[in-house]
Amino acid sequence: MDRIELPGEVAAEIEKLKRSRDDALQAARSAVRDASRVNRLLTVLNEPAPTDSLLDNILNTVSEIFSADVVVLIDAAGTGHFYPVASVGLPEDFVFGSAALTEIAQLFETRREAGILTPDKIRATSVVDELARTLMLEATVWIPMQGNRELRGALALARCAPLPFTREEIGLLSTMAYRIAVTLEQIQHTNQLEHIIRGNWEIGRHL
């Protein structure tokens, strides 16, 4: 004999279905929003522009997409050290000294995976702590940029509002950081090839 559900059980089941529907709709909206964000970045990456202008456009786009007041691109210099090569939101007179660069390199070595920079980690790194106090930063995140061959550098983002970066945002930032790293690798390889071609042309001309 079939069991007859009580009205309360029916209502609970309907509520459960509604929650599942709402969760599915929310996930779909998030997927569409994230795809739109990635497409915005890809549009910037595919636009022909000098390297300096391209970096500015990349960081301004990332800043806008993630409501970040500060974005800094840390690049590998090929010497084992990592240097800030572009930024948005830093004071115009702010300069990274040699001691600061050493601290950044040490911080980078301990943050090979994306994640939040905790208050303890910020206070332990004077250059980051100075920025946090000067700009009244409330939330920070560190995203390594892994290219096709090697670690290219990192993106550091910060907000002045106490709005922490979510796990979903970190995942999307990691995807974007990979795209940026690959683009920078391609630019570097193109510049190296052009340099070799010019060198061979000069040798041929003298011969």
Side-chain angles (χ1 to χ4, degrees):
M1 181 175 180
D2 294 336
R3 177 175 174 269
I4 299 176
E5 290 187 340
L6 299 176
E9 293 178 318
V10 173
E13 187 64 25
I14 292 175
E15 186 63 28
K16 181 179 177 181
L17 292 174
K18 286 181 179 179
R19 285 198 300 268
S20 297
R21 180 202 60 189
D22 292 343
D23 290 344
L25 288 174
Q26 182 62 36
R29 293 191 190 102
S30 297
V32 171
R33 184 186 65 241
D34 291 349
S36 176
R37 288 173 166 180
V38 172
N39 286 335
R40 281 188 59 190
L41 178 66
L42 292 178
T43 299
V44 171
L45 294 178
N46 291 327
E47 290 177 350
T51 303
D52 290 343
S53 297
L54 176 62
L55 292 178
D56 287 341
N57 293 338
I58 289 172
L59 297 194
N60 280 314
T61 300
V62 171
S63 172
E64 182 181 347
I65 289 175
F66 293 97
S67 300
D69 299 289
V70 176
V71 183
V72 180
L73 172 63
I74 312 292
D75 192 34
T79 60
H81 297 289
F82 300 90
Y83 296 89
V85 294
S87 65
V88 169
L90 292 183
E92 293 183 0
D93 59 347
F94 187 85
V95 178
F96 289 92
S98 57
L101 294 176
T102 300
E103 279 196 320
I104 290 173
Q106 293 172 349
L107 175 64
F108 188 89
E109 289 299 325
T110 61
R111 297 297 303 182
R112 287 301 181 107
E113 295 181 358
I116 303 296
L117 292 184
T118 63
D120 289 343
K121 179 66 69 173
I122 291 175
R123 286 192 294 269
T125 309
S126 61
V127 62
V128 181
D129 186 44
E130 179 184 353
L131 279 174
R133 287 185 285 104
T134 301
L135 303 179
M136 294 184 292
L137 303 179
E138 298 284 349
T140 55
V141 68
W142 179 269
I143 310 293
M145 295 198 313
Q146 179 72 45
N148 285 325
R149 298 181 179 180
E150 59 186 4
L151 206 59
R152 286 288 314 182
L155 278 175
L157 288 81
R159 292 169 176 159
C160 295
L163 180 64
F165 291 89
T166 65
R167 186 166 32 180
E168 291 74 15
E169 286 179 318
I170 292 175
L172 184 59
L173 274 166
S174 297
T175 299
M176 290 185 171
Y178 170 75
R179 298 281 188 174
I180 294 170
V182 170
T183 298
L184 295 180
E185 281 184 353
Q186 291 171 346
I187 291 174
Q188 183 182 33
H189 295 161
T190 300
N191 291 340
Q192 289 173 345
L193 180 60
E194 290 177 351
H195 179 72
I196 292 172
I197 291 173
R198 283 196 301 270
N200 290 340
W201 184 84
E202 286 292 334
I203 293 173
R205 187 168 64 87
H206 286 298
L207 290 177

